Each structure stands twice: as structure tokens, then as C-alpha cells.
Amino acid sequence: MNLGFTGGANAGFTEAYKTADWCLFLTNDCILENIGQLPLKPAIIAPKIMSRNTKNIDSIAGYYIPQKGLLRHYRREEEFYTNTDIKYVPGTGFILHKDIFIKTNGFDTSLFTYWEDVDFSIRLQQFGYQIYIDPDWRLRHYIGKTCHKNPLYTIYYYQRNRLRISKKYTRGVFRLQLIFFVFKDLLKLVCKLLTKKRYKDVLLLWTAIKES
């Protein structure tokens, strides 16, 4: 059975933790450029991730706005400490302690790929573990090399899981805000796809919405 990115990641962690307490996780479009320090207690560390062959920062962790179903990256350290939205560690690359993986059971394999990092980050914080940022850990991300802009990933899995996770972590008035915002957002996407005559992708989006 193909469990996708999430299943492969969990299998890798399981193997790594047989001989180590910490694991550096990288996607196939990332390379490690510099090694930082490890915390004294179990945690997840978000490194500084550079964008392609530039001096631009892709992320130093990120934040999640559940009532809008939106993800954003921090690109300055001070933003991480002053922003009050839900923090998450992008699945591009991070350092994780064994205890957290065991406690949380890793990524949710039902998601297959996309948004598993958001769900995982929220769950580990609910268990009382902490997200750290450490710019001394530095990665370089050659963006887009994993999914190659395949609509199955960028439309179906992304939008399906965006809706699944956002519904999972919103209640009451926040759920109403989510419905309103996402409806407008998806309507814009449909118009864009229709303008480009990407009719199959509109159907793919509709399937994602139904299966969310």
C-alpha cells in the first residue's frame, strides 16, 4: 500500500531512531549547508531555509491561520517570537527528537502529502513539546523539485488537506469565518483554472472538496 510522503517519512524516522535520539529530516530537494546545536530536551527545530541559489530566506518556521486556512512563512527571527498565530515547522526540513515521534506517532498517513507538517506541529505542541528556531541550522531548498507542479499534488492533495486540517482545528465562529474565506479563495482558483481552460483540474478541485 502506497502511504505517500507521510508513510515514507514515518518509515524513515522509525529506522533512524533505532540508533539515534535525533533525526535531521530533509525532502529530496534540500541540502544541508550548516549544522547547529541540539537542545537539551526533546523538541522540534526549524532551521533557516534558503531559497534556491540566492540569499533569500524561504523560511524560518511558519505560522498557520486556521480560520482562513492560510499558511505563511517567517523570514525574520523576530517575527517568530512576536507573532501570536499558530506556529508550525514546514516539512521541507527540520530536526526532531525521538520522544516526540513516539508520542505523536509521526505524520498522519491518511493525509498522504501536504499539510501533514501543520497537523504534526499542532499535535506535538498539544503534547507540551516546543518548537525552536535555530538559524545556525541552515538548509538550501530547490523549490518545486518534489511535486513538479503536478495538479494531483498542488490542487487535489493541497486543497483537500487544507480543508481537512482547517476544519479539524476550527470551531464555532472560526468555522464560519473559514467557510466564508475558503469559498472566496476557491472561487478565485476556479475562475483562474477556467480562464486557462484547465477543465480537468476544475474537476480535480471539486473531488478534493468533496473528499475533504
Side-chain angles (χ1 to χ4, degrees):
M1 181 178 180
N2 184 1
L3 297 178
F5 175 84
T6 53
N10 285 350
F13 281 125
T14 299
E15 190 64 28
Y17 291 134
K18 290 179 180 179
T19 56
D21 290 333
W22 290 91
C23 180
L24 169 64
F25 179 84
L26 299 176
T27 52
N28 65 339
D29 54 1
C30 271
I31 59 172
L32 175 65
E33 291 191 335
N34 197 69
I35 297 174
Q37 298 293 318
L38 294 173
L40 298 176
K41 58 182 181 180
I44 186 170
I45 307 168
K48 177 188 285 187
I49 302 178
M50 309 303 295
S51 178
R52 298 189 175 92
N53 293 315
T54 71
K55 295 182 179 179
N56 299 327
I57 297 174
D58 182 44
S59 73
I60 307 178
Y63 62 97
Y64 167 50
I65 308 173
Q67 66 269 28
K68 292 186 177 181
L70 287 180
L71 304 179
R72 293 290 184 267
H73 286 172
Y74 296 117
R75 291 184 170 85
R76 295 182 298 170
E77 292 181 59
E78 56 267 30
E79 293 175 337
F80 177 86
Y81 295 109
T82 57
N83 187 295
T84 57
D85 288 306
I86 297 173
K87 292 177 173 59
Y88 85 99
V89 177
T92 305
F94 54 87
I95 301 91
L96 182 70
H97 193 274
K98 177 180 181 179
D99 289 357
I100 299 179
F101 178 75
I102 293 173
K103 187 73 173 181
T104 60
N105 293 316
F107 289 142
D108 180 352
T109 56
S110 71
L111 297 173
F112 196 83
T113 189
Y114 278 118
W115 287 77
E116 74 290 326
D117 47 3
V118 180
D119 177 63
F120 181 64
S121 295
I122 293 174
R123 287 190 288 113
L124 70 86
Q125 290 175 91
Q126 290 175 340
F127 277 111
Y129 294 108
Q130 191 169 349
I131 291 175
Y132 290 102
I133 59 171
D134 185 352
D136 287 338
W137 286 93
R138 190 175 70 249
L139 311 179
R140 189 160 298 276
H141 184 202
Y142 295 92
I143 302 166
K145 301 296 183 180
T146 304
C147 64
H148 299 284
K149 298 183 180 179
N150 185 335
L152 177 64
Y153 296 95
T154 59
I155 293 179
Y156 173 74
Y157 284 120
Y158 184 88
Q159 296 297 344
R160 186 200 68 173
N161 292 346
R162 174 193 184 192
L163 291 170
R164 282 187 181 181
I165 296 305
S166 295
K167 288 190 291 186
K168 180 178 179 180
Y169 293 110
T170 55
R171 296 288 185 276
V173 66
F174 294 113
R175 175 69 65 84
L176 294 176
Q177 291 178 19
L178 173 68
I179 294 170
F180 176 74
F181 186 90
V182 170
F183 176 79
K184 292 197 305 178
D185 198 36
L186 293 181
L187 185 60
K188 290 179 182 178
L189 178 56
V190 168
C191 292
K192 181 179 178 180
L193 293 173
L194 289 175
T195 299
K196 296 182 177 181
K197 298 182 180 180
R198 294 172 58 181
Y199 305 122
K200 290 184 179 179
D201 291 341
V202 173
L203 294 176
L204 196 61
L205 177 60
W206 176 240
T207 302
I209 294 170
K210 289 193 298 181
E211 295 183 2
S212 67

